[in-house]
Amino acid sequence: MAEEAELAHPAEFGVFTLFRRRVGGRTAVARKGVVVAELLDPDEAHWLQGKARSVSQGFMDPKQKAAFEEFLARQESLDEQ
């Protein structure tokens, strides 16, 4: 029988809400409903860093990159929302 994942338990810290899982050691940090960071346990972070080094990076073509930069420039800052 597979163990069911336990739901995250939110805790408020000023403008941030932390969602912690008792199993797995992950914590997601949210601000105004948007996840702004995820904290990992050291072993998982080390594994992920090693995987990131071995993956070749893809790059956007110039037209796609310009469109994406324009999209980002149009986004409101958190202060304007």
Side-chain angles (χ1 to χ4, degrees):
M1 178 185 279
E3 200 173 310
E4 200 171 309
E6 190 172 344
L7 295 176
H9 302 279
E12 299 290 330
F13 290 92
V15 297
F16 298 100
T17 304
L18 274 58
F19 294 91
R20 295 186 178 135
R21 292 198 181 270
R22 291 184 186 177
V23 178
R26 284 187 176 206
T27 300
V29 180
R31 181 175 182 189
K32 295 186 179 180
V34 176
V35 174
V36 295
E38 185 172 10
L39 310 175
L40 309 173
D41 71 30
D43 291 334
E44 187 175 6
H46 181 72
W47 176 85
L48 189 59
Q49 184 179 30
K51 287 292 183 185
R53 280 192 204 119
S54 65
V55 175
S56 64
Q57 298 219 351
F59 297 97
M60 294 181 194
D61 64 62
K63 190 174 181 179
Q64 185 180 16
K65 182 179 178 185
F68 185 63
E69 287 174 352
E70 181 184 336
F71 166 78
L72 290 177
R74 289 192 314 252
Q75 301 308 301
E76 294 179 1
S77 70
L78 285 175
D79 295 332
E80 294 171 346
Q81 292 179 356

